[in-house]
Amino acid sequence: MKRIWLLLALVGTLGMTAWTLLNNKKEVEAKIYKPNPDQKVGVRTAVAELRNLSQNSEFLGSFAANRQVEIRPQAGGQIIQLPIEEGQSVGAGRLIAKLDDEQLRYQIEALQVTLEGYQNDLKRYENLVKGDATPAVNLERTQLSIRSTQAQIKQLQKQIANTTITAPFAGIVTEKMVEKGSVVSLGSPIATVTDISSLKLVVDVPEKAINQFRVGQSLSVSTEIYPGAHFAGRVTLIGAEGDAAHNYPVEITVNNSGKNLLRAGMYGSIANTSQLKGQTLSVPRQAIIGSEKQPQVYVVEGGKAVLKSVEIGATTNDYYEIRTGLKAGDQVVTSGQINLQNGTAVSAQ
């Protein structure tokens, strides 16, 4: 009997516990917010339509010389001629400096005398060998001596040629390191020649704008020092690697022949107005959500927000080109996406 009462008490306790838990669950569920499926979320929208995407971007850079070389002699000695001054224009092949070559010429003169003696010996040995009056080895030694002497003369002639230092290309003497009478060694700098007949304007272009440029493209270059003047430029290099800020170097070559108005180190700028596409489907930048690799757009269809993946192309400050995923006339959400899920009822404002 006692066991029956214990069993009844246990069943009663379990029943009371279950009733309490069920009652608490109902109270919690009553406090939880349940969105009204018929309530619409207010959003702003825009229409995907065909546009001429174009933008005007200005980039600033500095001019660098087309070519610059430090003149270094291939011989050593005293400078006996130095017909240049800083700022002077020189043509290709123009004499920059002449080193003393007197000792080298004396050595050539002595070798020429020796060579003449060997050549006379050669004639005598040729006659003696024909009559078997001397061994043929003497003739061979004389021939080798002639070839050796001729090689020495050629070597000295090359050294003499190296004492004449000329400009490798036309340019301006931008630095002179020595004076007439100075003694220079092999490879020591004498002067610097800079070619500014054409200059290279180097600008850093952000990643989002690098597709506006192509090698061979013609651009107009302007400078602050010559307001209102424009110089014809052509893109000759687009950097293959950007810096830490995702900027890429673009090199524009500018013709500066004639009056040489521009100088290396000056600032220059380009205003690149490029029509990126013809008529292309585009949406406002605010419509794009997700990542750059997986862009998405909410499209209003039948009063609901439908999430769609898209492929984007060219971009301006205001619009993205849509390559796939949308069609002209689609109504895209531009504001309020944070409150949306796929299928959310919306009210376009």
Side-chain angles (χ1 to χ4, degrees):
M1 189 72 176
K2 186 175 182 180
R3 290 182 179 179
I4 293 175
W5 283 109
L6 290 174
L7 181 62
L8 290 175
L10 179 61
V11 171
T13 302
L14 292 173
M16 181 63 69
T17 301
W19 180 85
T20 302
L21 292 174
L22 181 62
N23 187 52
N24 290 340
K25 180 180 179 182
K26 291 180 179 179
E27 292 179 359
V28 171
E29 289 179 345
K31 294 180 181 179
I32 295 175
Y33 171 74
K34 295 182 179 179
N36 184 357
D38 298 325
Q39 184 178 359
K40 297 183 178 181
V41 176
V43 295
R44 295 183 184 276
T45 62
V47 177
E49 58 186 358
L50 299 177
R51 291 183 178 86
N52 287 321
L53 293 187
S54 62
Q55 63 182 10
N56 190 338
S57 304
E58 186 171 0
F59 304 97
L60 179 67
S62 59
F63 289 104
N66 179 41
R67 292 179 293 179
Q68 187 177 67
V69 65
E70 201 172 58
I71 307 296
R72 295 174 180 266
Q74 298 183 44
Q78 184 180 32
I79 298 177
I80 58 175
Q81 294 183 46
L82 190 68
I84 59 168
E85 295 294 338
E86 289 188 3
Q88 176 183 346
S89 296
V90 294
R94 170 72 181 272
L95 179 66
I96 298 295
K98 183 70 175 73
L99 304 182
D100 184 11
D101 60 1
E102 189 174 10
Q103 291 296 328
L104 295 174
R105 294 187 182 277
Y106 289 155
Q107 293 179 43
I108 288 181
E109 186 176 349
L111 286 173
Q112 287 174 338
V113 172
T114 301
L115 178 61
E116 184 177 350
Y118 285 142
Q119 289 172 339
N120 293 333
D121 290 342
L122 180 63
K123 293 177 182 180
R124 287 193 295 268
Y125 283 133
E126 286 176 343
N127 294 326
L128 292 173
V129 169
K130 290 178 182 179
D132 295 329
T134 187
V137 67
N138 290 332
L139 178 63
E140 294 175 359
R141 288 175 178 172
T142 304
Q143 290 173 334
L144 292 175
S145 298
I146 290 175
R147 290 174 58 187
S148 175
T149 305
Q150 289 174 335
Q152 293 178 56
I153 291 174
K154 289 180 180 179
Q155 185 178 15
L156 290 171
Q157 289 173 338
K158 177 62 176 176
Q159 293 180 26
I160 290 176
N162 288 339
T163 63
T164 301
I165 303 143
T166 59
F169 51 77
I172 296 175
V173 179
T174 51
E175 188 175 7
K176 186 177 73 169
M177 295 85 157
V178 296
E179 296 294 338
K180 182 179 177 180
S182 301
V183 176
V184 296
S185 58
L186 174 67
S188 60
I190 290 179
T192 300
V193 175
T194 305
D195 177 15
I196 61 170
S197 60
S198 61
L199 295 174
K200 298 174 182 178
L201 177 65
V202 181
V203 297
D204 289 328
V205 177
E207 178 182 4
K208 67 178 183 179
I210 194 64
N211 288 335
Q212 299 177 30
F213 298 88
R214 66 183 186 278
V215 175
Q217 178 181 358
S218 296
L219 294 173
S220 178
V221 177
S222 58
T223 62
E224 291 184 358
I225 194 170
Y226 299 115
H230 296 277
F231 301 87
R234 183 173 57 87
V235 178
T236 50
L237 176 67
I238 298 176
E241 183 178 1
D243 58 18
H246 294 268
N247 293 321
Y248 292 79
V250 175
E251 180 182 283
I252 299 98
T253 299
V254 179
N255 185 11
N256 192 38
S257 60
K259 296 182 179 180
N260 288 341
L261 296 177
L262 301 175
R263 295 286 187 272
M266 286 183 176
Y267 287 111
S269 62
I270 55 173
N272 185 34
T273 303
S274 60
Q275 189 159 308
L276 303 180
K277 297 283 182 181
Q279 290 285 318
T280 185
L281 184 65
S282 59
V283 298
R285 296 179 64 92
Q286 297 86 345
I288 303 297
I289 61 173
S291 66
E292 188 172 335
K293 292 183 178 180
Q294 294 179 329
Q296 295 176 309
V297 174
Y298 277 111
V299 179
V300 178
E301 294 181 352
K304 294 184 178 181
V306 179
L307 186 62
K308 293 188 176 183
S309 296
V310 295
E311 181 185 354
I312 59 177
T315 176
T316 68
N317 293 331
D318 300 315
Y319 294 96
Y320 269 114
E321 174 195 6
I322 302 298
R323 292 177 175 173
T324 59
L326 297 178
K327 63 181 183 299
D330 283 346
Q331 191 175 15
V332 299
V333 178
T334 59
S335 177
Q337 295 98 322
I338 192 172
N339 300 317
L340 300 181
Q341 293 181 350
N342 191 22
T344 302
V346 295
S347 173
Q349 299 177 358

